[in-house]
Amino acid sequence: DYGNISWKTNEPIRHLGIYVGHDKKKICEKRSWLDKLEEMQRLLDVSRRRDLTLFGKAMVINCLAMPKIIYSATNTTIPKNIYSKINNIIFGFIWNKVDHIKINTIIGLIWKGGIKA
């Protein structure tokens, strides 16, 4: 019971795309993050089949992949282990699993030699 809200179930409730409830591990890890990361990975796997340039890959990341998690990231706390998973997914897509340029360069501004990923 929280204020005037009484929970009738032990299952998390989805409200505006974010899960809330009693079991933090189940909510934060699985439903709020891991499911979204799996969706992001599937989207990038489909885009990987195309012959995209680095700028094309950055566009796919910025316009299609990141919006999958931006809302949750701005409204909840991101677990520390999720940061590394996001980086692995994104940079695995850019380099096809093998890094060629430092991450700081890739995320840099275009006029500084980056691709603004």
Side-chain angles (χ1 to χ4, degrees), residues 4-61:
N4 294 333
I5 300 172
S6 178
W7 297 101
K8 300 293 182 189
T9 179
N10 286 333
E11 289 298 311
I13 297 169
R14 184 175 181 196
H15 180 69
L16 298 173
I18 297 174
Y19 287 90
V20 294
H22 296 293
D23 188 353
K24 186 174 181 178
K25 180 80 171 167
K26 185 183 216 179
I27 297 165
C28 284
E29 295 288 325
K30 177 70 174 127
R31 297 218 173 147
S32 290
W33 291 106
L34 294 179
D35 290 349
K36 290 177 182 175
L37 293 182
E38 287 175 12
E39 188 178 337
M40 178 193 285
Q41 182 68 59
R42 281 192 301 271
L43 183 138
L44 294 177
D45 287 343
V46 169
S47 297
R48 184 176 278 125
R49 296 180 195 146
R50 300 183 179 118
D51 188 25
L52 298 172
T53 65
L54 283 178
F55 290 102
K57 289 177 181 182
M59 184 69 69
V60 168
I61 290 166

Side-chain angles (χ1 to χ4, degrees), residues 51-106:
D51 188 25
L52 298 172
T53 65
L54 283 178
F55 290 102
K57 289 177 181 182
M59 184 69 69
V60 168
I61 290 166
N62 291 334
C63 295
L64 299 176
M66 291 306 290
K68 302 274 183 213
I69 61 170
I70 286 175
Y71 180 75
S72 292
T74 57
N75 291 294
T76 62
T77 304
I78 303 173
K80 289 183 180 185
N81 65 324
I82 297 298
Y83 281 113
S84 63
K85 291 179 184 191
I86 292 169
N87 281 335
N88 290 340
I89 290 170
I90 290 172
F91 292 104
F93 171 68
I94 289 176
W95 296 120
N96 292 326
K97 308 290 184 201
V98 180
D99 293 346
H100 296 286
I101 299 175
K102 289 183 178 181
I103 291 173
N104 290 337
T105 302
I106 293 297

